């Protein structure tokens, strides 16, 4: 099986344009620096993608995320009020609006076509994360087509 090694360095990229081209979705804008050293092997696109392995770094600055409002959610935590009203307001804060991030950064590790980040950190005008915030996983490995019955 053919094997490929590569080093990828993306510097000062328009994050919205990059996401739109790579995954076909937007929702996050800003400037991004991404470095990744990896490899893959196989004889088809599916084999190549499902064998992706390597490590990297991501750093995003001056980002705006669409679809949730961290400022509104944070304000609710300071004065939750009645439980039902609090939950409704929290739901609204996490279903629309925008949030600004001064920085988002972390390391990337790929194994078997899955990319993980277990130390993704972010800074907003209101708060900074400490330590691990979320294990983010990309599950965009190609699906194996169903077998035909004969």
């Amino acid at each position: 099986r053919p094997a490929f090694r590569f080093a990828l360095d993306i510097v000062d990229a328009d994050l919205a344009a990059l996401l739109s081209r790579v995954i076909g979705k937007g929702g996050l804008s800003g400037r991004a620096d991404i470095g990744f050293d990896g490899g893959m092997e196989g004889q088809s696109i599916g084999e190549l993608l499902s064998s992706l392995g390597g490590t990297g770094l991501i750093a995003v600055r001056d980002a705006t995320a669409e679809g949730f409002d961290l400022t509104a959610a944070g304000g609710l935590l300071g004065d939750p009020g009645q439980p039902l009203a609090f939950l409704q307001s929290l739901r609204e804060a996490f279903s629309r609006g925008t949030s600004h991030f001064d920085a988002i950064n972390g390391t990337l590790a790929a194994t078997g076509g899955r990319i993980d980040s277990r130390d993704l950190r972010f800074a907003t005008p209101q708060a900074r994360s400490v330590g691990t915030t979320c294990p983010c996983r990309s599950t965009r490995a190609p699906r194996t087509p169903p077998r035909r019955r004969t």
Side-chain angles (χ1 to χ4, degrees):
R1 292 172 33 150
F4 302 92
R5 297 280 316 150
F6 62 90
L8 172 72
D9 287 306
I10 300 173
V11 179
D12 197 32
D14 177 334
L15 186 57
L18 181 66
L19 291 173
S20 179
R21 286 193 81 142
V22 173
I23 63 173
K25 293 185 179 183
L28 185 62
S29 62
R31 306 305 297 179
D33 298 328
I34 302 168
F36 192 84
D37 291 319
M40 56 181 76
E41 61 182 42
Q43 295 181 330
S44 68
I45 296 295
E47 286 180 356
L48 289 169
L49 292 176
S50 65
S51 71
L52 175 66
T55 59
L57 299 168
I58 184 168
V60 177
R61 61 195 170 283
D62 298 322
T64 300
E66 300 291 330
F68 61 96
D69 187 341
L70 285 179
T71 303
L76 292 169
L77 296 176
D79 182 19
Q82 296 296 317
L84 189 56
F86 168 75
L87 292 175
Q88 178 64 30
S89 297
L90 194 60
R91 179 176 161 222
E92 289 175 11
F94 282 106
S95 63
R96 63 178 162 212
T98 60
S99 295
H100 180 76
F101 294 86
D102 297 324
I104 303 170
N105 58 59
T107 59
L108 304 171
T111 305
R114 169 173 264 160
I115 301 173
D116 293 315
S117 179
R118 299 202 178 268
D119 64 350
L120 191 63
R121 296 171 298 276
F122 66 90
T124 71
Q126 296 80 26
R128 297 193 186 289
S129 70
V130 178
T132 301
T133 44
C134 74
C136 300
R137 301 183 195 282
S138 169
T139 57
R140 286 194 53 97
R143 293 184 355 203
T144 304
R147 290 184 179 179
R148 289 186 176 185
R149 293 185 177 185
T150 57

